[in-house]
Amino acid sequence: MIKRIKICVSGLVQGVGFRFFTYQQAQKLGLLGYVKNLDNGNVEIVIQGDNLQLTQFTQWLEQGGPASAHITDIKSCELLPENGLTSFNVRY
C-alpha cells in the first residue's frame, strides 16, 4: 500500500548537509517526494512509498539521520498519496 507522509525535523538540521543526505537516503530506498529547508530553521520532508520504505526511512531519521545533524524533534502526519510523482527532489 502506497502512503505519503509529511515530516518536520527540528534541531541542527540546516547548514550540515541534511538535505543532501536525506536525498541520498530517499534515493537508496526508492522514495518519491522532496526535502526543503524552512524559514524557521527546520527541515520539511514529504515522502511517498510503501510501508517498508517509509519505515526504513523513518528509522534512519529516528537513529539521528546524517552524522553531521543533531535532531531534537520529529513530527509527522499522513497525507493522501499523490499521483504523478516520479522522483525525490531537493527544493530551495
Side-chain angles (χ1 to χ4, degrees):
M1 179 174 178
I2 299 298
K3 290 185 176 180
R4 185 167 71 123
I5 58 174
K6 179 179 174 180
I7 303 170
C8 185
V9 184
S10 304
L12 179 59
V13 291
Q14 289 191 17
V16 293
F18 190 89
R19 289 178 300 171
F20 172 76
F21 289 110
T22 299
Y23 171 83
Q24 283 189 321
Q25 187 68 14
Q27 291 285 95
K28 176 181 167 185
L29 295 172
L31 292 163
L32 306 174
Y34 67 86
V35 59
K36 74 175 184 175
N37 286 346
L38 300 177
D39 292 338
N40 65 0
N42 295 339
V43 171
E44 178 181 273
I45 306 164
V46 175
I47 53 174
Q48 181 168 297
D50 66 33
N51 285 332
L52 178 60
Q53 293 168 309
L54 295 175
T55 298
Q56 290 173 329
F57 184 85
T58 55
Q59 286 175 342
W60 173 75
L61 278 179
E62 289 166 356
Q63 293 170 359
S68 56
H70 179 71
I71 297 172
T72 58
D73 193 34
I74 301 170
K75 293 183 178 160
S76 64
C77 64
E78 193 167 332
L79 305 171
L80 292 173
E82 186 177 312
N83 292 329
L85 290 178
T86 59
S87 63
F88 189 90
N89 301 297
V90 176
R91 292 191 180 172
Y92 298 93

